PDB file of all heavy atoms in Angstrom:
ATOM      1  N   GLU L   1    -109.641 -34.798  15.108  1.00  0.00           N
ATOM      2  CA  GLU L   1    -108.542 -35.447  14.381  1.00  0.00           C
ATOM      3  C   GLU L   1    -108.851 -36.022  13.051  1.00  0.00           C
ATOM      4  O   GLU L   1    -108.112 -35.952  12.035  1.00  0.00           O
ATOM      5  CB  GLU L   1    -107.968 -36.475  15.310  1.00  0.00           C
ATOM      6  CG  GLU L   1    -107.184 -35.970  16.575  1.00  0.00           C
ATOM      7  CD  GLU L   1    -106.607 -37.045  17.381  1.00  0.00           C
ATOM      8  OE1 GLU L   1    -106.688 -38.262  16.974  1.00  0.00           O
ATOM      9  OE2 GLU L   1    -106.152 -36.715  18.583  1.00  0.00           O
ATOM     10  N   SER L   2    -110.004 -36.749  13.075  1.00  0.00           N
ATOM     11  CA  SER L   2    -110.496 -37.285  11.832  1.00  0.00           C
ATOM     12  C   SER L   2    -110.885 -36.257  10.861  1.00  0.00           C
ATOM     13  O   SER L   2    -110.625 -36.495   9.586  1.00  0.00           O
ATOM     14  CB  SER L   2    -111.635 -38.125  12.102  1.00  0.00           C
ATOM     15  OG  SER L   2    -111.463 -39.127  13.030  1.00  0.00           O
ATOM     16  N   TYR L   3    -111.389 -35.082  11.291  1.00  0.00           N
ATOM     17  CA  TYR L   3    -111.591 -33.994  10.289  1.00  0.00           C
ATOM     18  C   TYR L   3    -110.330 -33.519   9.574  1.00  0.00           C
ATOM     19  O   TYR L   3    -110.338 -33.285   8.400  1.00  0.00           O
ATOM     20  CB  TYR L   3    -112.410 -32.991  11.060  1.00  0.00           C
ATOM     21  CG  TYR L   3    -112.686 -31.776  10.176  1.00  0.00           C
ATOM     22  CD1 TYR L   3    -113.831 -31.673   9.409  1.00  0.00           C
ATOM     23  CD2 TYR L   3    -111.859 -30.554  10.074  1.00  0.00           C
ATOM     24  CE1 TYR L   3    -114.083 -30.582   8.544  1.00  0.00           C
ATOM     25  CE2 TYR L   3    -112.076 -29.542   9.244  1.00  0.00           C
ATOM     26  CZ  TYR L   3    -113.301 -29.536   8.470  1.00  0.00           C
ATOM     27  OH  TYR L   3    -113.605 -28.499   7.660  1.00  0.00           O
ATOM     28  N   CYS L   4    -109.385 -33.367  10.434  1.00  0.00           N
ATOM     29  CA  CYS L   4    -108.115 -32.778   9.851  1.00  0.00           C
ATOM     30  C   CYS L   4    -107.330 -33.915   8.924  1.00  0.00           C
ATOM     31  O   CYS L   4    -106.691 -33.549   7.995  1.00  0.00           O
ATOM     32  CB  CYS L   4    -107.032 -32.460  10.928  1.00  0.00           C
ATOM     33  SG  CYS L   4    -107.674 -30.984  11.836  1.00  0.00           S
ATOM     34  N   ALA L   5    -107.471 -35.265   9.183  1.00  0.00           N
ATOM     35  CA  ALA L   5    -106.910 -36.103   8.425  1.00  0.00           C
ATOM     36  C   ALA L   5    -107.546 -36.575   7.213  1.00  0.00           C
ATOM     37  O   ALA L   5    -107.094 -37.352   6.424  1.00  0.00           O
ATOM     38  CB  ALA L   5    -106.556 -37.362   9.379  1.00  0.00           C
ATOM     39  N   SER L   6    -108.791 -36.173   7.072  1.00  0.00           N
ATOM     40  CA  SER L   6    -109.747 -36.547   5.991  1.00  0.00           C
ATOM     41  C   SER L   6    -109.730 -35.426   4.905  1.00  0.00           C
ATOM     42  O   SER L   6    -109.427 -34.451   5.079  1.00  0.00           O
ATOM     43  CB  SER L   6    -111.145 -36.793   6.385  1.00  0.00           C
ATOM     44  OG  SER L   6    -111.730 -35.674   7.064  1.00  0.00           O
ATOM     45  N   GLU L   7    -110.171 -35.948   3.612  1.00  0.00           N
ATOM     46  CA  GLU L   7    -110.378 -35.050   2.525  1.00  0.00           C
ATOM     47  C   GLU L   7    -111.770 -34.535   2.296  1.00  0.00           C
ATOM     48  O   GLU L   7    -111.955 -33.542   1.677  1.00  0.00           O
ATOM     49  CB  GLU L   7    -109.879 -35.653   1.220  1.00  0.00           C
ATOM     50  CG  GLU L   7    -108.354 -36.057   1.187  1.00  0.00           C
ATOM     51  CD  GLU L   7    -108.019 -36.873  -0.017  1.00  0.00           C
ATOM     52  OE1 GLU L   7    -108.818 -37.102  -0.781  1.00  0.00           O
ATOM     53  OE2 GLU L   7    -106.772 -37.071  -0.127  1.00  0.00           O
ATOM     54  N   PHE L   8    -112.787 -35.152   2.758  1.00  0.00           N
ATOM     55  CA  PHE L   8    -114.091 -34.713   2.865  1.00  0.00           C
ATOM     56  C   PHE L   8    -114.846 -35.195   4.142  1.00  0.00           C
ATOM     57  O   PHE L   8    -114.469 -36.123   4.809  1.00  0.00           O
ATOM     58  CB  PHE L   8    -114.817 -35.272   1.651  1.00  0.00           C
ATOM     59  CG  PHE L   8    -115.349 -36.727   1.829  1.00  0.00           C
ATOM     60  CD1 PHE L   8    -116.560 -37.046   2.281  1.00  0.00           C
ATOM     61  CD2 PHE L   8    -114.489 -37.793   1.507  1.00  0.00           C
ATOM     62  CE1 PHE L   8    -117.079 -38.352   2.437  1.00  0.00           C
ATOM     63  CE2 PHE L   8    -114.909 -39.065   1.711  1.00  0.00           C
ATOM     64  CZ  PHE L   8    -116.186 -39.409   2.165  1.00  0.00           C
ATOM     65  N   ALA L   9    -115.808 -34.364   4.452  1.00  0.00           N
ATOM     66  CA  ALA L   9    -116.626 -34.588   5.670  1.00  0.00           C
ATOM     67  C   ALA L   9    -117.951 -34.190   5.476  1.00  0.00           C
ATOM     68  O   ALA L   9    -118.270 -33.106   5.232  1.00  0.00           O
ATOM     69  CB  ALA L   9    -116.049 -33.930   6.963  1.00  0.00           C
ATOM     70  N   VAL L  10    -118.985 -35.139   5.723  1.00  0.00           N
ATOM     71  CA  VAL L  10    -120.432 -34.863   5.421  1.00  0.00           C
ATOM     72  C   VAL L  10    -121.099 -35.620   6.474  1.00  0.00           C
ATOM     73  O   VAL L  10    -120.797 -36.617   7.047  1.00  0.00           O
ATOM     74  CB  VAL L  10    -120.832 -35.223   3.946  1.00  0.00           C
ATOM     75  CG1 VAL L  10    -120.042 -34.560   2.975  1.00  0.00           C
ATOM     76  CG2 VAL L  10    -120.650 -36.769   3.776  1.00  0.00           C
ATOM     77  N   ASN L  11    -122.552 -35.278   6.535  1.00  0.00           N
ATOM     78  CA  ASN L  11    -123.390 -36.038   7.274  1.00  0.00           C
ATOM     79  C   ASN L  11    -124.666 -36.138   6.502  1.00  0.00           C
ATOM     80  O   ASN L  11    -125.040 -35.186   5.888  1.00  0.00           O
ATOM     81  CB  ASN L  11    -123.693 -35.402   8.658  1.00  0.00           C
ATOM     82  CG  ASN L  11    -124.818 -34.406   8.690  1.00  0.00           C
ATOM     83  OD1 ASN L  11    -125.895 -34.645   8.379  1.00  0.00           O
ATOM     84  ND2 ASN L  11    -124.354 -33.136   8.934  1.00  0.00           N
ATOM     85  N   GLY L  12    -125.253 -37.307   6.378  1.00  0.00           N
ATOM     86  CA  GLY L  12    -126.293 -37.598   5.462  1.00  0.00           C
ATOM     87  C   GLY L  12    -127.096 -38.931   5.770  1.00  0.00           C
ATOM     88  O   GLY L  12    -126.625 -39.622   6.609  1.00  0.00           O
ATOM     89  N   ILE L  13    -128.098 -38.995   5.117  1.00  0.00           N
ATOM     90  CA  ILE L  13    -128.962 -40.228   5.404  1.00  0.00           C
ATOM     91  C   ILE L  13    -128.712 -41.275   4.193  1.00  0.00           C
ATOM     92  O   ILE L  13    -128.493 -41.031   3.005  1.00  0.00           O
ATOM     93  CB  ILE L  13    -130.579 -39.871   5.193  1.00  0.00           C
ATOM     94  CG1 ILE L  13    -130.875 -38.750   6.288  1.00  0.00           C
ATOM     95  CG2 ILE L  13    -131.398 -41.161   5.283  1.00  0.00           C
ATOM     96  CD1 ILE L  13    -132.226 -38.189   6.096  1.00  0.00           C
ATOM     97  N   VAL L  14    -128.511 -42.526   4.679  1.00  0.00           N
ATOM     98  CA  VAL L  14    -128.190 -43.701   3.716  1.00  0.00           C
ATOM     99  C   VAL L  14    -129.411 -43.944   2.939  1.00  0.00           C
ATOM    100  O   VAL L  14    -130.497 -44.249   3.340  1.00  0.00           O
ATOM    101  CB  VAL L  14    -127.772 -44.967   4.648  1.00  0.00           C
ATOM    102  CG1 VAL L  14    -127.504 -45.943   3.498  1.00  0.00           C
ATOM    103  CG2 VAL L  14    -126.632 -44.669   5.433  1.00  0.00           C
ATOM    104  N   HIS L  15    -129.295 -43.664   1.610  1.00  0.00           N
ATOM    105  CA  HIS L  15    -130.357 -44.017   0.552  1.00  0.00           C
ATOM    106  C   HIS L  15    -130.405 -45.464   0.187  1.00  0.00           C
ATOM    107  O   HIS L  15    -131.428 -46.063   0.225  1.00  0.00           O
ATOM    108  CB  HIS L  15    -130.215 -43.187  -0.688  1.00  0.00           C
ATOM    109  CG  HIS L  15    -131.241 -43.236  -1.696  1.00  0.00           C
ATOM    110  ND1 HIS L  15    -131.190 -44.082  -2.813  1.00  0.00           N
ATOM    111  CD2 HIS L  15    -132.470 -42.635  -1.748  1.00  0.00           C
ATOM    112  CE1 HIS L  15    -132.306 -43.954  -3.473  1.00  0.00           C
ATOM    113  NE2 HIS L  15    -133.144 -43.206  -2.866  1.00  0.00           N
ATOM    114  N   ASP L  16    -129.141 -45.930  -0.201  1.00  0.00           N
ATOM    115  CA  ASP L  16    -129.143 -47.484  -0.473  1.00  0.00           C
ATOM    116  C   ASP L  16    -127.704 -47.907  -0.414  1.00  0.00           C
ATOM    117  O   ASP L  16    -126.873 -47.098  -0.377  1.00  0.00           O
ATOM    118  CB  ASP L  16    -129.742 -47.673  -1.931  1.00  0.00           C
ATOM    119  CG  ASP L  16    -128.895 -46.876  -2.989  1.00  0.00           C
ATOM    120  OD1 ASP L  16    -127.545 -47.012  -3.018  1.00  0.00           O
ATOM    121  OD2 ASP L  16    -129.543 -46.236  -3.903  1.00  0.00           O
ATOM    122  N   VAL L  17    -127.648 -49.286  -0.143  1.00  0.00           N
ATOM    123  CA  VAL L  17    -126.336 -49.894  -0.075  1.00  0.00           C
ATOM    124  C   VAL L  17    -126.267 -51.010  -0.981  1.00  0.00           C
ATOM    125  O   VAL L  17    -127.063 -52.001  -1.012  1.00  0.00           O
ATOM    126  CB  VAL L  17    -126.113 -50.469   1.398  1.00  0.00           C
ATOM    127  CG1 VAL L  17    -124.752 -51.148   1.592  1.00  0.00           C
ATOM    128  CG2 VAL L  17    -126.232 -49.357   2.388  1.00  0.00           C
ATOM    129  N   ASP L  18    -125.227 -50.977  -1.884  1.00  0.00           N
ATOM    130  CA  ASP L  18    -125.026 -51.950  -2.946  1.00  0.00           C
ATOM    131  C   ASP L  18    -123.792 -52.912  -2.586  1.00  0.00           C
ATOM    132  O   ASP L  18    -122.692 -52.301  -2.555  1.00  0.00           O
ATOM    133  CB  ASP L  18    -124.973 -51.373  -4.279  1.00  0.00           C
ATOM    134  CG  ASP L  18    -124.877 -52.371  -5.416  1.00  0.00           C
ATOM    135  OD1 ASP L  18    -125.154 -53.678  -5.066  1.00  0.00           O
ATOM    136  OD2 ASP L  18    -124.764 -52.136  -6.532  1.00  0.00           O
ATOM    137  N   VAL L  19    -123.992 -54.083  -2.128  1.00  0.00           N
ATOM    138  CA  VAL L  19    -122.916 -54.886  -1.756  1.00  0.00           C
ATOM    139  C   VAL L  19    -122.408 -55.593  -3.038  1.00  0.00           C
ATOM    140  O   VAL L  19    -123.085 -56.492  -3.660  1.00  0.00           O
ATOM    141  CB  VAL L  19    -123.334 -56.036  -0.573  1.00  0.00           C
ATOM    142  CG1 VAL L  19    -122.226 -56.829  -0.260  1.00  0.00           C
ATOM    143  CG2 VAL L  19    -123.874 -55.277   0.619  1.00  0.00           C
ATOM    144  N   LEU L  20    -121.139 -55.257  -3.440  1.00  0.00           N
ATOM    145  CA  LEU L  20    -120.667 -55.934  -4.681  1.00  0.00           C
ATOM    146  C   LEU L  20    -120.021 -57.299  -4.416  1.00  0.00           C
ATOM    147  O   LEU L  20    -120.021 -58.080  -5.075  1.00  0.00           O
ATOM    148  CB  LEU L  20    -119.656 -54.911  -5.315  1.00  0.00           C
ATOM    149  CG  LEU L  20    -120.188 -53.487  -5.630  1.00  0.00           C
ATOM    150  CD1 LEU L  20    -119.022 -52.649  -6.281  1.00  0.00           C
ATOM    151  CD2 LEU L  20    -121.303 -53.572  -6.515  1.00  0.00           C
ATOM    152  N   SER L  21    -119.272 -57.435  -3.285  1.00  0.00           N
ATOM    153  CA  SER L  21    -118.647 -58.481  -2.812  1.00  0.00           C
ATOM    154  C   SER L  21    -118.331 -58.479  -1.411  1.00  0.00           C
ATOM    155  O   SER L  21    -118.710 -57.500  -0.738  1.00  0.00           O
ATOM    156  CB  SER L  21    -117.317 -58.660  -3.650  1.00  0.00           C
ATOM    157  OG  SER L  21    -116.644 -59.916  -3.284  1.00  0.00           O
ATOM    158  N   THR L  22    -117.648 -59.460  -0.866  1.00  0.00           N
ATOM    159  CA  THR L  22    -117.414 -59.570   0.645  1.00  0.00           C
ATOM    160  C   THR L  22    -116.441 -58.288   0.873  1.00  0.00           C
ATOM    161  O   THR L  22    -115.226 -58.288   0.432  1.00  0.00           O
ATOM    162  CB  THR L  22    -116.735 -60.754   1.006  1.00  0.00           C
ATOM    163  OG1 THR L  22    -117.559 -61.897   0.642  1.00  0.00           O
ATOM    164  CG2 THR L  22    -116.436 -60.880   2.433  1.00  0.00           C
ATOM    165  N   GLY L  23    -116.799 -57.503   1.704  1.00  0.00           N
ATOM    166  CA  GLY L  23    -116.063 -56.305   2.174  1.00  0.00           C
ATOM    167  C   GLY L  23    -116.037 -55.124   1.205  1.00  0.00           C
ATOM    168  O   GLY L  23    -115.226 -54.262   1.296  1.00  0.00           O
ATOM    169  N   ILE L  24    -116.841 -55.135   0.221  1.00  0.00           N
ATOM    170  CA  ILE L  24    -116.859 -54.060  -0.842  1.00  0.00           C
ATOM    171  C   ILE L  24    -118.388 -53.615  -0.957  1.00  0.00           C
ATOM    172  O   ILE L  24    -119.213 -54.315  -1.408  1.00  0.00           O
ATOM    173  CB  ILE L  24    -116.435 -54.625  -2.280  1.00  0.00           C
ATOM    174  CG1 ILE L  24    -114.996 -55.222  -2.186  1.00  0.00           C
ATOM    175  CG2 ILE L  24    -116.386 -53.434  -3.270  1.00  0.00           C
ATOM    176  CD1 ILE L  24    -114.454 -55.762  -3.415  1.00  0.00           C
ATOM    177  N   GLN L  25    -118.669 -52.372  -0.629  1.00  0.00           N
ATOM    178  CA  GLN L  25    -119.935 -51.743  -0.659  1.00  0.00           C
ATOM    179  C   GLN L  25    -120.012 -50.437  -1.352  1.00  0.00           C
ATOM    180  O   GLN L  25    -118.985 -49.669  -1.213  1.00  0.00           O
ATOM    181  CB  GLN L  25    -120.457 -51.469   0.773  1.00  0.00           C
ATOM    182  CG  GLN L  25    -120.494 -52.788   1.735  1.00  0.00           C
ATOM    183  CD  GLN L  25    -121.058 -52.267   3.208  1.00  0.00           C
ATOM    184  OE1 GLN L  25    -122.093 -52.378   3.324  1.00  0.00           O
ATOM    185  NE2 GLN L  25    -120.080 -52.128   3.961  1.00  0.00           N
ATOM    186  N   LEU L  26    -120.938 -50.204  -2.122  1.00  0.00           N
ATOM    187  CA  LEU L  26    -121.176 -48.824  -2.734  1.00  0.00           C
ATOM    188  C   LEU L  26    -122.380 -48.208  -1.962  1.00  0.00           C
ATOM    189  O   LEU L  26    -123.502 -48.711  -2.104  1.00  0.00           O
ATOM    190  CB  LEU L  26    -121.472 -48.967  -4.223  1.00  0.00           C
ATOM    191  CG  LEU L  26    -120.254 -48.919  -5.127  1.00  0.00           C
ATOM    192  CD1 LEU L  26    -120.694 -49.154  -6.624  1.00  0.00           C
ATOM    193  CD2 LEU L  26    -119.493 -47.628  -5.073  1.00  0.00           C
ATOM    194  N   VAL L  27    -122.072 -47.097  -1.342  1.00  0.00           N
ATOM    195  CA  VAL L  27    -123.147 -46.436  -0.519  1.00  0.00           C
ATOM    196  C   VAL L  27    -123.566 -45.120  -1.225  1.00  0.00           C
ATOM    197  O   VAL L  27    -122.599 -44.385  -1.615  1.00  0.00           O
ATOM    198  CB  VAL L  27    -122.642 -46.201   0.944  1.00  0.00           C
ATOM    199  CG1 VAL L  27    -123.675 -45.650   1.797  1.00  0.00           C
ATOM    200  CG2 VAL L  27    -122.111 -47.399   1.462  1.00  0.00           C
ATOM    201  N   THR L  28    -124.762 -44.883  -1.080  1.00  0.00           N
ATOM    202  CA  THR L  28    -125.256 -43.534  -1.760  1.00  0.00           C
ATOM    203  C   THR L  28    -125.973 -42.820  -0.505  1.00  0.00           C
ATOM    204  O   THR L  28    -126.762 -43.349   0.165  1.00  0.00           O
ATOM    205  CB  THR L  28    -126.445 -43.713  -2.798  1.00  0.00           C
ATOM    206  OG1 THR L  28    -125.885 -44.513  -3.778  1.00  0.00           O
ATOM    207  CG2 THR L  28    -126.802 -42.294  -3.194  1.00  0.00           C
ATOM    208  N   LEU L  29    -125.375 -41.515  -0.201  1.00  0.00           N
ATOM    209  CA  LEU L  29    -125.852 -40.616   0.825  1.00  0.00           C
ATOM    210  C   LEU L  29    -126.728 -39.574   0.268  1.00  0.00           C
ATOM    211  O   LEU L  29    -126.292 -39.023  -0.795  1.00  0.00           O
ATOM    212  CB  LEU L  29    -124.728 -40.151   1.747  1.00  0.00           C
ATOM    213  CG  LEU L  29    -123.986 -41.150   2.523  1.00  0.00           C
ATOM    214  CD1 LEU L  29    -122.887 -40.301   3.279  1.00  0.00           C
ATOM    215  CD2 LEU L  29    -124.856 -41.919   3.477  1.00  0.00           C
ATOM    216  N   LEU L  30    -127.748 -39.140   0.978  1.00  0.00           N
ATOM    217  CA  LEU L  30    -128.480 -37.917   0.675  1.00  0.00           C
ATOM    218  C   LEU L  30    -128.013 -36.859   1.653  1.00  0.00           C
ATOM    219  O   LEU L  30    -128.361 -37.160   2.853  1.00  0.00           O
ATOM    220  CB  LEU L  30    -130.021 -38.134   0.758  1.00  0.00           C
ATOM    221  CG  LEU L  30    -130.567 -39.169  -0.428  1.00  0.00           C
ATOM    222  CD1 LEU L  30    -132.045 -39.275  -0.181  1.00  0.00           C
ATOM    223  CD2 LEU L  30    -130.311 -38.750  -1.731  1.00  0.00           C
ATOM    224  N   VAL L  31    -127.416 -35.818   1.074  1.00  0.00           N
ATOM    225  CA  VAL L  31    -126.851 -34.733   2.038  1.00  0.00           C
ATOM    226  C   VAL L  31    -127.535 -33.452   1.638  1.00  0.00           C
ATOM    227  O   VAL L  31    -127.590 -33.090   0.545  1.00  0.00           O
ATOM    228  CB  VAL L  31    -125.330 -34.682   1.815  1.00  0.00           C
ATOM    229  CG1 VAL L  31    -124.733 -33.645   2.846  1.00  0.00           C
ATOM    230  CG2 VAL L  31    -124.739 -36.057   1.962  1.00  0.00           C
ATOM    231  N   ASP L  32    -127.905 -32.735   2.690  1.00  0.00           N
ATOM    232  CA  ASP L  32    -128.353 -31.333   2.626  1.00  0.00           C
ATOM    233  C   ASP L  32    -127.160 -30.454   2.630  1.00  0.00           C
ATOM    234  O   ASP L  32    -126.024 -30.735   2.870  1.00  0.00           O
ATOM    235  CB  ASP L  32    -129.500 -30.981   3.565  1.00  0.00           C
ATOM    236  CG  ASP L  32    -129.083 -31.143   4.996  1.00  0.00           C
ATOM    237  OD1 ASP L  32    -127.789 -31.527   5.265  1.00  0.00           O
ATOM    238  OD2 ASP L  32    -129.841 -30.885   5.924  1.00  0.00           O
ATOM    239  N   ARG L  33    -127.597 -29.080   2.505  1.00  0.00           N
ATOM    240  CA  ARG L  33    -126.508 -28.100   2.500  1.00  0.00           C
ATOM    241  C   ARG L  33    -125.765 -27.992   3.933  1.00  0.00           C
ATOM    242  O   ARG L  33    -124.620 -27.680   3.871  1.00  0.00           O
ATOM    243  CB  ARG L  33    -127.086 -26.705   2.102  1.00  0.00           C
ATOM    244  CG  ARG L  33    -127.660 -26.601   0.729  1.00  0.00           C
ATOM    245  CD  ARG L  33    -127.984 -25.210   0.344  1.00  0.00           C
ATOM    246  NE  ARG L  33    -128.573 -25.137  -1.006  1.00  0.00           N
ATOM    247  CZ  ARG L  33    -127.823 -24.955  -2.018  1.00  0.00           C
ATOM    248  NH1 ARG L  33    -126.463 -24.736  -1.847  1.00  0.00           N
ATOM    249  NH2 ARG L  33    -128.291 -24.855  -3.372  1.00  0.00           N
ATOM    250  N   ASP L  34    -126.451 -28.153   4.933  1.00  0.00           N
ATOM    251  CA  ASP L  34    -125.807 -28.014   6.346  1.00  0.00           C
ATOM    252  C   ASP L  34    -125.009 -29.267   6.601  1.00  0.00           C
ATOM    253  O   ASP L  34    -124.165 -29.128   7.503  1.00  0.00           O
ATOM    254  CB  ASP L  34    -126.913 -27.853   7.403  1.00  0.00           C
ATOM    255  CG  ASP L  34    -127.758 -26.721   7.167  1.00  0.00           C
ATOM    256  OD1 ASP L  34    -127.299 -25.757   6.698  1.00  0.00           O
ATOM    257  OD2 ASP L  34    -128.900 -26.665   7.667  1.00  0.00           O
ATOM    258  N   GLY L  35    -125.033 -30.305   5.830  1.00  0.00           N
ATOM    259  CA  GLY L  35    -124.391 -31.553   6.022  1.00  0.00           C
ATOM    260  C   GLY L  35    -123.049 -31.562   5.296  1.00  0.00           C
ATOM    261  O   GLY L  35    -122.266 -32.617   5.436  1.00  0.00           O
ATOM    262  N   LEU L  36    -122.713 -30.486   4.547  1.00  0.00           N
ATOM    263  CA  LEU L  36    -121.495 -30.578   3.739  1.00  0.00           C
ATOM    264  C   LEU L  36    -120.486 -29.837   4.605  1.00  0.00           C
ATOM    265  O   LEU L  36    -120.235 -28.476   4.441  1.00  0.00           O
ATOM    266  CB  LEU L  36    -121.615 -29.863   2.478  1.00  0.00           C
ATOM    267  CG  LEU L  36    -122.637 -30.611   1.525  1.00  0.00           C
ATOM    268  CD1 LEU L  36    -122.845 -29.556   0.313  1.00  0.00           C
ATOM    269  CD2 LEU L  36    -122.064 -31.785   1.047  1.00  0.00           C
ATOM    270  N   TYR L  37    -119.683 -30.448   5.393  1.00  0.00           N
ATOM    271  CA  TYR L  37    -118.681 -29.818   6.351  1.00  0.00           C
ATOM    272  C   TYR L  37    -117.415 -29.548   5.480  1.00  0.00           C
ATOM    273  O   TYR L  37    -116.915 -28.361   5.664  1.00  0.00           O
ATOM    274  CB  TYR L  37    -118.199 -30.826   7.455  1.00  0.00           C
ATOM    275  CG  TYR L  37    -119.448 -31.289   8.388  1.00  0.00           C
ATOM    276  CD1 TYR L  37    -119.680 -32.673   8.558  1.00  0.00           C
ATOM    277  CD2 TYR L  37    -120.150 -30.464   9.015  1.00  0.00           C
ATOM    278  CE1 TYR L  37    -120.630 -33.070   9.411  1.00  0.00           C
ATOM    279  CE2 TYR L  37    -121.260 -30.788   9.841  1.00  0.00           C
ATOM    280  CZ  TYR L  37    -121.414 -32.068  10.005  1.00  0.00           C
ATOM    281  OH  TYR L  37    -122.538 -32.640  10.796  1.00  0.00           O
ATOM    282  N   LYS L  38    -116.916 -30.380   4.833  1.00  0.00           N
ATOM    283  CA  LYS L  38    -115.628 -30.297   4.020  1.00  0.00           C
ATOM    284  C   LYS L  38    -115.871 -31.048   2.627  1.00  0.00           C
ATOM    285  O   LYS L  38    -116.266 -32.246   2.549  1.00  0.00           O
ATOM    286  CB  LYS L  38    -114.432 -30.835   4.724  1.00  0.00           C
ATOM    287  CG  LYS L  38    -113.249 -30.603   4.014  1.00  0.00           C
ATOM    288  CD  LYS L  38    -112.107 -31.483   4.449  1.00  0.00           C
ATOM    289  CE  LYS L  38    -111.520 -31.025   5.798  1.00  0.00           C
ATOM    290  NZ  LYS L  38    -110.370 -31.757   6.150  1.00  0.00           N
ATOM    291  N   MET L  39    -115.644 -30.318   1.538  1.00  0.00           N
ATOM    292  CA  MET L  39    -115.903 -30.934   0.240  1.00  0.00           C
ATOM    293  C   MET L  39    -114.761 -31.221  -0.530  1.00  0.00           C
ATOM    294  O   MET L  39    -114.514 -32.295  -1.285  1.00  0.00           O
ATOM    295  CB  MET L  39    -116.942 -30.058  -0.566  1.00  0.00           C
ATOM    296  CG  MET L  39    -118.373 -30.081  -0.142  1.00  0.00           C
ATOM    297  SD  MET L  39    -119.369 -29.032  -1.158  1.00  0.00           S
ATOM    298  CE  MET L  39    -119.168 -29.828  -2.589  1.00  0.00           C
ATOM    299  N   ASN L  40    -113.759 -30.176  -0.752  1.00  0.00           N
ATOM    300  CA  ASN L  40    -112.751 -30.236  -1.692  1.00  0.00           C
ATOM    301  C   ASN L  40    -113.102 -30.617  -3.050  1.00  0.00           C
ATOM    302  O   ASN L  40    -113.822 -29.828  -3.485  1.00  0.00           O
ATOM    303  CB  ASN L  40    -111.544 -31.102  -1.069  1.00  0.00           C
ATOM    304  CG  ASN L  40    -110.764 -30.662  -0.016  1.00  0.00           C
ATOM    305  OD1 ASN L  40    -110.635 -29.582   0.271  1.00  0.00           O
ATOM    306  ND2 ASN L  40    -110.251 -31.566   0.965  1.00  0.00           N
ATOM    307  N   ARG L  41    -112.846 -31.738  -3.530  1.00  0.00           N
ATOM    308  CA  ARG L  41    -113.155 -32.159  -4.972  1.00  0.00           C
ATOM    309  C   ARG L  41    -114.159 -33.148  -4.982  1.00  0.00           C
ATOM    310  O   ARG L  41    -114.220 -34.006  -5.791  1.00  0.00           O
ATOM    311  CB  ARG L  41    -111.981 -32.474  -5.794  1.00  0.00           C
ATOM    312  CG  ARG L  41    -111.042 -31.435  -5.964  1.00  0.00           C
ATOM    313  CD  ARG L  41    -109.889 -31.741  -6.929  1.00  0.00           C
ATOM    314  NE  ARG L  41    -109.023 -30.592  -7.233  1.00  0.00           N
ATOM    315  CZ  ARG L  41    -107.931 -30.702  -7.999  1.00  0.00           C
ATOM    316  NH1 ARG L  41    -107.653 -31.837  -8.654  1.00  0.00           N
ATOM    317  NH2 ARG L  41    -107.204 -29.617  -8.229  1.00  0.00           N
ATOM    318  N   LEU L  42    -115.031 -33.318  -3.798  1.00  0.00           N
ATOM    319  CA  LEU L  42    -116.003 -34.311  -3.699  1.00  0.00           C
ATOM    320  C   LEU L  42    -117.157 -34.040  -4.870  1.00  0.00           C
ATOM    321  O   LEU L  42    -117.557 -32.938  -4.955  1.00  0.00           O
ATOM    322  CB  LEU L  42    -116.618 -34.341  -2.448  1.00  0.00           C
ATOM    323  CG  LEU L  42    -117.708 -35.435  -2.084  1.00  0.00           C
ATOM    324  CD1 LEU L  42    -116.979 -36.784  -2.094  1.00  0.00           C
ATOM    325  CD2 LEU L  42    -118.353 -35.068  -0.855  1.00  0.00           C
ATOM    326  N   TYR L  43    -117.359 -35.163  -5.607  1.00  0.00           N
ATOM    327  CA  TYR L  43    -118.440 -35.055  -6.660  1.00  0.00           C
ATOM    328  C   TYR L  43    -119.859 -35.252  -5.986  1.00  0.00           C
ATOM    329  O   TYR L  43    -120.114 -36.357  -5.385  1.00  0.00           O
ATOM    330  CB  TYR L  43    -118.138 -36.110  -7.698  1.00  0.00           C
ATOM    331  CG  TYR L  43    -119.055 -36.088  -8.771  1.00  0.00           C
ATOM    332  CD1 TYR L  43    -118.874 -35.132  -9.873  1.00  0.00           C
ATOM    333  CD2 TYR L  43    -120.155 -36.917  -9.039  1.00  0.00           C
ATOM    334  CE1 TYR L  43    -119.700 -35.077 -10.987  1.00  0.00           C
ATOM    335  CE2 TYR L  43    -120.965 -36.954  -9.988  1.00  0.00           C
ATOM    336  CZ  TYR L  43    -120.759 -35.930 -11.052  1.00  0.00           C
ATOM    337  OH  TYR L  43    -121.582 -35.864 -12.176  1.00  0.00           O
ATOM    338  N   ILE L  44    -120.663 -34.309  -6.107  1.00  0.00           N
ATOM    339  CA  ILE L  44    -122.068 -34.343  -5.667  1.00  0.00           C
ATOM    340  C   ILE L  44    -122.957 -34.165  -6.864  1.00  0.00           C
ATOM    341  O   ILE L  44    -122.735 -33.424  -7.787  1.00  0.00           O
ATOM    342  CB  ILE L  44    -122.316 -33.230  -4.572  1.00  0.00           C
ATOM    343  CG1 ILE L  44    -122.048 -31.917  -5.098  1.00  0.00           C
ATOM    344  CG2 ILE L  44    -121.423 -33.645  -3.313  1.00  0.00           C
ATOM    345  CD1 ILE L  44    -122.377 -30.937  -3.989  1.00  0.00           C
ATOM    346  N   THR L  45    -124.262 -34.820  -6.762  1.00  0.00           N
ATOM    347  CA  THR L  45    -125.235 -34.669  -7.761  1.00  0.00           C
ATOM    348  C   THR L  45    -126.475 -34.109  -7.080  1.00  0.00           C
ATOM    349  O   THR L  45    -127.015 -34.593  -6.172  1.00  0.00           O
ATOM    350  CB  THR L  45    -125.566 -36.036  -8.380  1.00  0.00           C
ATOM    351  OG1 THR L  45    -124.335 -36.666  -8.800  1.00  0.00           O
ATOM    352  CG2 THR L  45    -126.518 -35.940  -9.528  1.00  0.00           C
TER     353      THR L  45
END
């Protein structure tokens, strides 16, 4: 159900977490090719 309701789906390792404020986080994931389930227009570097 979550896969069908979402626009992207990945699995990856958390590289860093930047807490900007209470309840606001910027997360960087390291994803390999097998971890890209659904991309659509997801920006990857």
